[in-house]
Amino acid sequence: MENKPAFKKNLRDQPWDWKTKNEYEEVTVRQQPYVHMQYRHVYDGKDFDIYDPRYTRLKSSDWEAFRDPKKFWYTTYVNNRKKLAEEIENGFNYADQLGIIQNLSPQWADAIRDLYTPLRHLEYGENVQMQYVIRYALGSAIEQCATYQAYDKTGRAQWISQWAINMQEHHGDFLDHGKQVLLNEPAFQLLRSYVEEILITEDWAEVLVAENLTLDLLLGNLMYREFNGEAVKRGDAHLSMLNFVITKQLDWHRDWAFSFFKLLAQDQAESRWDYLKALGYEEWEGDYRWGRTLSDPRETPEVTLSNVEIIQEWVDKWYPRAFEAVLALAPLFDKHGIDLNLPETLKKIEEEAIIPIYKKNKLPFKPYEIAYN
C-alpha cells in the first residue's frame, strides 16, 4: 500500500475545518508560500528567504492561525470603505451647502490649521511603514490586515488633505502651512521624530506595536475623538463628520492588532521554525533552502524571551515615547485657547480606552506616570 508523504495533512487538522470554514477563510488562508521559494533577497544583507520567520523576534506555532475579527477580504473591505467614503463626501457637501465652513470663526480656523492639518503627514508616514509590514509579515491573514490598514492611512491622509482644501477656500492657506508646522513647530517635533523612527524599525511586528498598540491609541483617540467635542462646540460639522468616520477605521485597526498579539502571547512555540510542523513539513528533507544554498535555518540561534516578554519590551519602549510626543502638543492647545487639559485628557484616554483593551487581551501594560503641577 502506498504511504502518503509525511508532509500531507488532512484539512480537518487545520485551524478551520469544513464545518466552520467560511468565505473569508476560503479566499484568505494559505496563499503565502513557506517552502519551495523561487528566489531570495539579494540587497538586504541577510541570507533569508523571501518569507522568513527571522524578520521578527516573535515565534508562532502556526502563522496561518490568525483571523481578522471583521473577516475583511478584498470585496468586503472595499464595500465597507466605499460606504465610509460616501459618508465623508456627503458630510463635506452638506457643510459647504449649509455655509458651515465659511462661517467658522477665524480663531477656530487658525487653531485647526495648526493642530489638525499636519496629521496628514503623520498618517502617510505610518502608511509607508505599514507597507513594510505587508512585505515581511508571515501569514496571509496578517498581511491582508496590514494591507487594508495601509489603505486606510493613505485614505485618511487624503481625506485630511481634502478637508484642508475645503478650508482654505474660505480661511487662507492650510496645506503648505500644515507642512511648515510639522517641520518647524516645536510642539510637533516629538511626533515627527516618533514616526520617523517607526520608518527605520526592522522588526515588522514591532512596527505594529509602535503604531497600533501605542501611538494610534493616544493620538487617534485625542485628535479624532476627544478633539471632536471642541469641533461640535464651535459648530464645525465639517471637521466632526470627518472625525466620526475616521474613528470607525481606528476601532478596526485596534481590534485586529490586539487579536493578533493576543494570539501570539498565548502561543507556546519554542522556535521560530515551529510553524513548519503545522504545515506538515516537520520531517521534510528540504530543498535549496536547507543544507544546500543556505545553512539549515533551524540552527539559527533563538531568542530566549517568550512572546509575552518581547511584546512587553516593545510596549515599554514605545508607549512612554508616544505619550510624551502627544503631550508635547500642549503648548499649541494653550496658544489657541482650546479648552482641553491635555495631561488630564491623555490620562482619561489611558484609563478608559487603553488599559481596558490591554486587560481584555491579557497583554502586559504599564501606565504612563505623569506629574501634575
Side-chain angles (χ1 to χ4, degrees), residues 47-198:
D47 200 15
F48 289 179
D49 279 314
I50 185 170
Y51 299 110
D52 198 295
R54 288 169 288 185
Y55 281 112
T56 180
R57 294 165 62 196
L58 297 178
K59 298 167 285 225
S60 175
S61 56
D62 186 0
W63 286 109
E64 292 288 331
F66 170 72
R67 298 293 181 268
D68 173 16
K70 277 284 198 180
K71 293 182 170 58
F72 276 145
W73 55 286
Y74 179 77
T75 299
T76 54
Y77 170 81
V78 169
N79 288 339
N80 180 276
R81 285 340 193 217
K82 177 185 176 184
K83 294 176 183 177
L84 297 188
E86 289 172 349
E87 289 184 42
I88 293 289
E89 183 178 354
N90 291 335
F92 284 176
N93 287 337
Y94 294 152
D96 183 49
Q97 293 172 20
L98 294 171
I100 291 173
I101 303 174
Q102 66 190 61
N103 289 316
L104 295 174
S105 70
Q107 293 79 12
W108 175 247
D110 288 343
I112 54 181
R113 188 197 333 268
D114 281 355
L115 283 163
Y116 204 86
T117 314
L119 297 179
R120 71 193 190 107
H121 301 288
L122 300 179
E123 293 286 5
Y124 181 78
E126 289 189 65
N127 150 69
V128 170
Q129 195 62 352
M130 192 55 62
Q131 295 180 46
Y132 177 88
V133 176
I134 295 167
R135 171 59 195 86
Y136 291 103
L138 284 161
S140 47
I142 301 166
E143 177 275 331
Q144 186 167 246
C145 285
T147 298
Y148 298 154
Q149 180 169 329
Y151 290 162
D152 282 352
K153 287 187 172 292
T154 298
R156 282 212 288 279
Q158 293 173 345
W159 283 343
I160 295 172
S161 299
Q162 186 180 355
W163 163 85
I165 291 170
N166 295 342
M167 288 294 295
Q168 66 185 21
E169 289 183 10
H170 304 283
H171 299 283
D173 177 59
F174 263 67
L175 292 175
D176 289 340
H177 179 83
K179 177 181 178 181
Q180 294 306 315
V181 169
L182 181 72
L183 293 176
N184 302 309
E185 168 58 51
F188 263 100
Q189 296 316 298
L190 286 182
L191 273 172
R192 176 186 166 195
S193 175
Y194 187 100
V195 173
E196 288 174 347
E197 185 150 352
I198 291 177

Side-chain angles (χ1 to χ4, degrees), residues 220-229 247-248 250-251 254:
N221 277 296
L222 174 66
M223 297 306 298
Y224 302 129
R225 282 194 168 94
E226 298 295 331
F227 194 67
N228 220 23
T247 57
K248 297 179 182 180
L250 289 175
D251 287 343
R254 174 201 63 205

Side-chain angles (χ1 to χ4, degrees), residues 15 29 36 56 63 206 248 269 337 357 365:
V29 298
H36 303 300
T56 180
W63 286 109
E206 184 179 356
K248 297 179 182 180
I357 192 70
F365 178 77

Side-chain angles (χ1 to χ4, degrees), residues 336-354:
H336 293 289
I338 303 298
D339 189 20
L340 262 177
N341 184 306
L342 203 50
E344 291 181 359
T345 301
L346 289 179
K347 289 305 289 185
K348 173 190 172 187
I349 290 170
E350 182 180 83
E351 292 167 2
E352 297 180 1
I354 298 178

